[in-house]
Amino acid sequence: MTSILIVDDNRMFRMAFRKMLDWERHGYIIIAEASNGIHALEILKDIHVDIIITDMSMPEMTGIELVKIVTEEKPGIRIIALSNYDDFQFVKDALKYGAYDYLLKHELTGVKILEVLQEVNDSKRKIHQSYLQGSTSEMDSFIGKVLLGQVNHDEMTIGLKDFAGFKKLGSMYLIYIQPYIRNSEIRIMRDHLKLNNNEDIQLVISCVDKNKVLLLINILGNYSEHHNYRYLIEVINNIVCTLDKMHIEASLLVSGVTRDTRNLPDLYKQIEKLKNACQFNRKKSFYYFSNETQETETVEDPSLLIDSKMYNHEIMDNKQLFNMEVKHLFDRIKHNPIDENSLAKVIFELAVIIYHLAKRLNVKLVNVIGDRDNLFRTFYQFYYFSDVEAKILRILEELYGTSDEYQTINNRNVEDIINYINKHYNEDLTLMSISERFGYNASYLSHLYKHQTGKNLVDYIKEVRIREAKRLILESRYKSYEIAQKTGFKNASYFCTVFKEVTGHSPKAFKKRGYND
C-alpha cells in the first residue's frame, strides 16, 4: 500500500477528499490528516509517508514552507500541491521548490487524482529501474545524503529497500574505489557484480560525488564476524576481477562494519580518513580501516606550508634553489600528511606559482604540458602524492630546460661568479663558499660552471691565484709566505705545492728563470 498524508486547514475538504475514491482497492491508504504544515511535520516524525497531498494557502505554515522542508529533509516523499485559482502563484513556487505535481481543487475528480498518483508511482519505479540500467543520479543523491547524515533512520531503512532493492538490512560495509572510474565502467562493473554475487550479498554502486565511487555492501543473515569477512573477501575478489578485465589499476578502501543504518555516516568518515592517509602510500591494493589509520591535518591556508621564498624572483631564476624549495615543501607534507582538500589547495597554489615561473622564463606552458592548458588539472589528475610530486618535478625540469631566458640568466650568473673570483681570489674561496654566496647547490654550481666554460670551477680559482702569484714573484719584493697570504693560499708550503702543480716549476725556479707566461 502507498501511504498518503492529507494536509489542509479545511476539515470539510479533508472529509470530502477521503470519500472521492475506494483508496485501498487502488493500492493506497490515507494514513493521516493534518490541518497545517506544522501539524504535518509532527506527524512525519512518527510515521512513514510515501505521498503528501497538501493545500498551499494555510495558516501558521504555508504549503510552500512545508514543501521546502520536506524536500530538503525527506527527499523520498513525493508532494502533490492543491490550489484554488486565486493562489496559483503558490503552486508555481511549490513546483519550483520540489512538489511533483499539482491539482486544482475545483477540478478534482477521482480519475484525476488516480492519474496523478499513478504518475508519482511510475516515477518512483523509473528511478529504481534507472539504477538497474545505470542512470543513477537520484539514487546517487539519496546514497550521498545517507552517508552525510542528511536522512533520518526511517528514511534510510525504507530508501535502501526502495532505491537499492535491499530485501532486509544485515551487516553493511562501504568500499571506495580509487582512482575515479567513468560512468560507462561503473555500468559494466554493476552488471558483472550482479551476475557473480552470492544471493546473501546485496550491493549498490553509487557515484556520490563527481569523483567518488562507492559500493555499499549488505550481507544478509546473522552471521559471525568471520563469516561476514569471508563474504566481504568474495565481493572484493569480484571487484578486482572486474577491474582487471577492464584493464583498470585501482586500490580498494574498505570500511568497518555496521548493522545499524544510523552508523553509515560513520563508515563514510572512515573511508574519508583512509582516503586522506592512503594518498601518501601506494604500496598496497587494499586498505582496511582500523583505529591505527594515520591521521591527517587540515590546512585552511596553503601559505602556511609554502615558503615565501618560492614567490621570490631571485629564487625562481635559480633552478637549483627553486627545485630545492619544492622538494622541501613535499618533504614537509610527507612528514605531516594533510587531508585531500588541503592538498588540493596546496597544489592549486603551487600551480599558480609555476604559472608565474613559466611567464618569467618566457615559456608557453602548453608546449610543456600538451594540449591541456590547465596546470592544476594536470597535477590533480593523479591520486597518489608521489605521482603528483614526480609530475611537478618533471614539468619544472622541462620549463628550465627549454627556456632561452633561463640560459641567459645562467650565462649572466656565471659571468658574475667569474668577476667575483677575480676580485676575491685572495680570500678563503671554496666551491662551497661560492655556491652559498650565489645561492646554488655546490654540485649543481660545479656542473653549471663547467657546462658554460668547459673548465672546473676549482681549477679556475687556482688559475687566477697562480696568475697573480706569478706577478708578485716577478716583482721580487715578497717572500713566499707573503705571496701565499696575498693570493688566498693557507700557507707557503701549500702555495709552493700548487704553484709547481700548475706551472711545472717551484716559485724560486720560476723567479730565477724569469718566467712570465
Side-chain angles (χ1 to χ4, degrees):
M1 288 279 182
T2 300
S3 57
I4 298 173
L5 169 64
I6 306 297
V7 188
D8 197 295
D9 59 323
N10 187 323
R11 181 171 174 272
M12 296 302 293
F13 174 80
R14 298 198 305 270
M15 290 176 62
F17 192 85
R18 276 184 175 273
K19 294 177 180 179
M20 295 186 80
L21 281 171
D22 183 350
W23 296 96
E24 291 192 13
R25 187 167 72 86
H26 293 287
Y28 300 97
I29 180 171
I30 298 179
I31 198 167
E33 298 177 13
S35 57
N36 58 53
I38 294 174
H39 186 199
L41 293 177
E42 288 298 319
I43 291 172
L44 291 175
K45 289 179 182 178
D46 299 321
I47 62 175
H48 168 70
V49 172
D50 295 306
I51 298 172
I52 295 175
I53 300 177
T54 179
D55 189 22
M56 289 291 99
S57 180
M58 296 180 292
E60 296 189 58
M61 178 184 284
T62 67
I64 296 295
E65 294 171 300
L66 177 62
V67 169
K68 283 183 181 179
I69 293 170
V70 172
T71 301
E72 184 175 336
E73 296 183 358
K74 298 178 181 292
I77 297 177
R78 290 289 184 267
I79 303 172
I80 299 170
L82 293 172
S83 172
N84 297 310
Y85 270 130
D86 56 359
D87 57 15
F88 190 65
Q89 182 60 44
F90 275 118
V91 172
K92 290 195 289 185
D93 289 341
L95 295 174
K96 181 174 75 174
Y97 289 117
Y100 179 79
D101 207 339
Y102 72 93
L103 291 166
L104 295 175
K105 284 186 174 181
H106 71 282
E107 295 180 351
L108 271 184
T109 65
V111 173
K112 281 189 174 292
I113 293 170
L114 278 177
E115 285 177 355
V116 173
L117 290 175
Q118 187 62 46
E119 286 179 13
V120 170
N121 281 334
D122 286 346
S123 76
K124 283 198 167 190
R125 277 193 291 272
K126 284 176 183 176
I127 290 168
H128 182 64
Q129 188 63 29
S130 72
Y131 167 68
L132 296 177
Q133 294 172 353
S135 175
T136 62
S137 58
E138 193 155 349
M139 175 66 195
D140 292 343
S141 175
F142 172 74
I143 294 295
K145 288 178 179 178
V146 167
L147 298 179
L148 293 174
Q150 296 173 351
V151 181
N152 67 36
H153 175 59
D154 289 339
E155 289 173 322
M156 281 190 199
T157 304
I158 294 166
L160 287 172
K161 289 177 181 176
D162 290 347
F163 279 111
F166 286 5
K167 302 169 188 172
K168 58 182 180 178
L169 300 180
S171 299
M172 290 171 282
Y173 298 83
L174 283 178
I175 298 178
Y176 172 76
I177 301 174
Q178 65 179 24
Y180 174 69
I181 59 177
R182 296 186 296 271
N183 285 338
S184 58
E185 295 165 338
I186 293 173
R187 285 195 293 273
I188 294 170
M189 176 173 287
R190 183 180 295 119
D191 293 340
H192 185 272
L193 293 177
K194 191 165 57 176
L195 290 172
N196 291 278
N197 257 355
N198 187 306
E199 62 180 11
D200 286 334
I201 303 171
Q202 294 179 303
L203 58 86
V204 55
I205 302 175
S206 181
C207 182
V208 299
D209 196 354
K210 61 183 178 181
N211 60 353
K212 293 179 182 175
V213 178
L214 282 159
L215 282 80
L216 175 57
I217 313 298
N218 181 37
I219 299 175
L220 304 175
N222 293 311
Y223 298 116
S224 66
E225 182 179 343
H226 175 74
H227 195 94
N228 285 340
Y229 184 73
R230 202 176 73 200
Y231 274 171
L232 179 64
I233 293 299
E234 184 179 322
V235 173
I236 290 173
N237 184 59
N238 283 340
I239 295 170
V240 171
C241 289
T242 304
L243 291 171
D244 187 56
K245 287 181 179 179
M246 294 189 289
H247 306 290
I248 295 173
E249 184 179 346
S251 295
L252 303 182
L253 278 54
V254 185
S255 74
V257 61
T258 185
R259 294 187 65 87
D260 189 338
T261 55
R262 285 170 291 200
N263 294 332
L264 286 175
D266 292 330
L267 297 193
Y268 186 59
K269 289 176 183 175
Q270 293 176 7
I271 291 293
E272 287 295 299
K273 189 174 180 181
L274 271 175
K275 273 186 73 211
N276 290 329
C278 294
Q279 62 187 341
F280 298 99
N281 180 2
R282 63 175 304 159
K283 294 179 181 177
K284 299 187 294 184
S285 298
F286 310 104
Y287 299 88
Y288 296 92
F289 179 80
S290 72
N291 293 328
E292 285 73 44
T293 299
Q294 185 179 21
E295 294 284 353
T296 53
E297 295 182 7
T298 297
V299 177
E300 297 298 335
D301 183 357
S303 65
L304 296 174
L305 282 174
I306 298 177
D307 197 302
S308 59
K309 291 178 184 176
M310 293 185 68
Y311 301 88
N312 188 303
H313 286 172
E314 290 185 4
I315 300 295
M316 287 183 174
D317 289 346
N318 189 318
K319 172 186 174 184
Q320 194 69 21
L321 281 184
F322 190 80
N323 279 354
M324 191 185 304
E325 291 301 324
V326 172
K327 289 175 182 176
H328 285 168
L329 169 64
F330 293 151
D331 288 342
R332 285 193 291 274
I333 293 173
K334 288 175 194 172
H335 292 141
N336 295 288
I338 57 179
D339 62 40
E340 186 180 23
N341 289 335
S342 299
L343 184 59
K345 292 178 184 177
V346 171
I347 292 173
F348 181 79
E349 185 67 19
L350 193 53
V352 171
I353 293 172
I354 293 174
Y355 271 122
H356 289 306
L357 173 64
K359 190 173 181 181
R360 184 163 180 79
L361 295 177
N362 197 25
V363 176
K364 291 183 178 180
L365 268 174
V366 69
N367 294 334
V368 174
I369 64 175
D371 294 334
R372 298 171 64 185
D373 58 358
N374 188 317
L375 190 59
F376 174 71
R377 263 204 323 269
T378 299
F379 294 156
Y380 208 59
Q381 65 179 307
F382 301 104
Y383 177 79
Y384 294 105
F385 181 71
S386 58
D387 292 333
V388 177
E389 178 182 10
K391 182 65 175 179
I392 289 174
L393 292 175
R394 278 199 300 273
I395 286 178
L396 289 178
E397 189 67 34
E398 289 187 51
L399 280 177
Y400 283 108
T402 58
S403 171
D404 293 335
E405 185 72 23
Y406 181 62
Q407 299 308 317
T408 302
I409 292 170
N410 274 342
N411 292 340
R412 190 165 61 242
N413 287 344
V414 169
E415 289 174 9
D416 291 342
I417 290 168
I418 290 172
N419 290 334
Y420 181 80
I421 293 171
N422 289 340
K423 290 180 181 178
H424 299 272
Y425 62 86
N426 59 336
E427 299 174 10
D428 185 20
L429 286 186
T430 62
L431 177 61
M432 186 63 70
S433 67
I434 295 173
S435 63
E436 289 177 357
R437 170 72 175 75
F438 285 89
Y440 284 102
N441 171 279
S443 175
Y444 179 75
L445 176 59
S446 178
H447 172 78
L448 172 65
Y449 186 87
K450 186 163 187 177
H451 178 73
Q452 299 285 17
T453 67
K455 298 180 180 179
N456 289 322
L457 182 60
V458 173
D459 289 342
Y460 182 71
I461 295 172
K462 288 180 183 179
E463 181 184 315
V464 173
R465 284 173 169 169
I466 296 302
R467 186 173 62 229
E468 180 61 16
K470 287 179 180 179
R471 186 183 68 78
L472 294 175
I473 290 171
L474 293 174
E475 286 186 6
S476 302
R477 292 191 296 140
Y478 302 103
K479 295 180 179 179
S480 290
Y481 76 88
E482 291 176 314
I483 294 173
Q485 290 174 351
K486 289 179 178 293
T487 54
F489 289 100
K490 294 177 181 178
N491 52 60
S493 175
Y494 181 59
F495 161 62
C496 292
T497 300
V498 173
F499 191 90
K500 187 167 184 179
E501 176 188 310
V502 172
T503 66
H505 304 281
S506 66
K508 183 183 282 189
F510 180 84
K511 181 179 180 179
K512 186 174 181 180
R513 305 177 85 170
Y515 281 103
N516 193 20
D517 45 6

